[in-house]
Amino acid sequence: MIVYALTDPETDDVRYVGQTVKSLPFRIKRHCNSARTGSKLHVHNWIRRMGRDPGCFVLAECETKAELDDEERFWIWWYRRQGSDLTNLTPGGEGGDRSEEHTSELQSLRH
């Protein structure tokens, strides 16, 4: 279980913090495939606009789901405090890989 960051490959700026119980290469491939197939998630719109795959690195390795959620929340908070322009729409800890329908509903409530 890991918490990871996606970065702009030109600037190395962190633009997204996520979590996965799968391998990091698998999760990144899924983000990129979703972006290419038209997902409307904010992070996927960003990947599509870049026109290339994001960079990535591991922020934390976790043993439990509770630790994974806590670490994700911490790193989103930390990068926002540093002024990073994150594509995350929530403070984190919701478990990732949600359906597009749920995320679209969440996005509409935030605008």
Side-chain angles (χ1 to χ4, degrees):
M1 290 187 258
I2 60 170
V3 175
Y4 62 92
L6 297 183
T7 62
D8 182 318
E10 286 186 21
T11 64
D12 288 329
D13 292 343
V14 171
R15 296 296 316 277
Y16 179 79
V17 174
Q19 61 170 266
T20 186
V21 297
K22 307 274 186 190
S23 71
L24 185 55
F26 177 85
R27 187 65 187 111
I28 302 313
K29 183 177 180 181
R30 236 176 117 188
H31 277 301
C32 294
N33 286 342
S34 293
R36 282 191 264 285
T37 58
S39 165
K40 302 295 187 211
L41 294 179
H42 195 44
V43 64
H44 299 151
N45 290 336
W46 164 69
I47 292 170
R48 200 168 28 257
R49 279 192 312 270
M50 269 196 313
R52 59 194 216 180
D53 293 351
C56 63
F57 62 92
V58 172
L59 291 165
E61 294 185 24
C62 305
E63 296 295 321
T64 67
K65 178 67 169 115
E67 182 185 4
L68 188 68
D69 291 343
D70 287 346
E71 286 288 332
E72 183 185 37
R73 280 189 291 269
F74 169 78
W75 287 106
I76 290 171
W77 169 85
W78 191 86
Y79 278 107
R80 283 187 174 147
R81 187 162 186 214
Q82 303 305 309
S84 295
D85 184 20
L86 296 181
T87 60
N88 296 78
L89 296 176
T90 70
E94 291 88 21
D97 290 346
R98 293 187 309 257
S99 72
E100 268 195 57
E101 179 181 336
H102 175 79
T103 304
S104 295
E105 181 180 319
L106 182 63
Q107 286 175 333
S108 69
L109 293 172
R110 292 187 174 276
H111 296 296

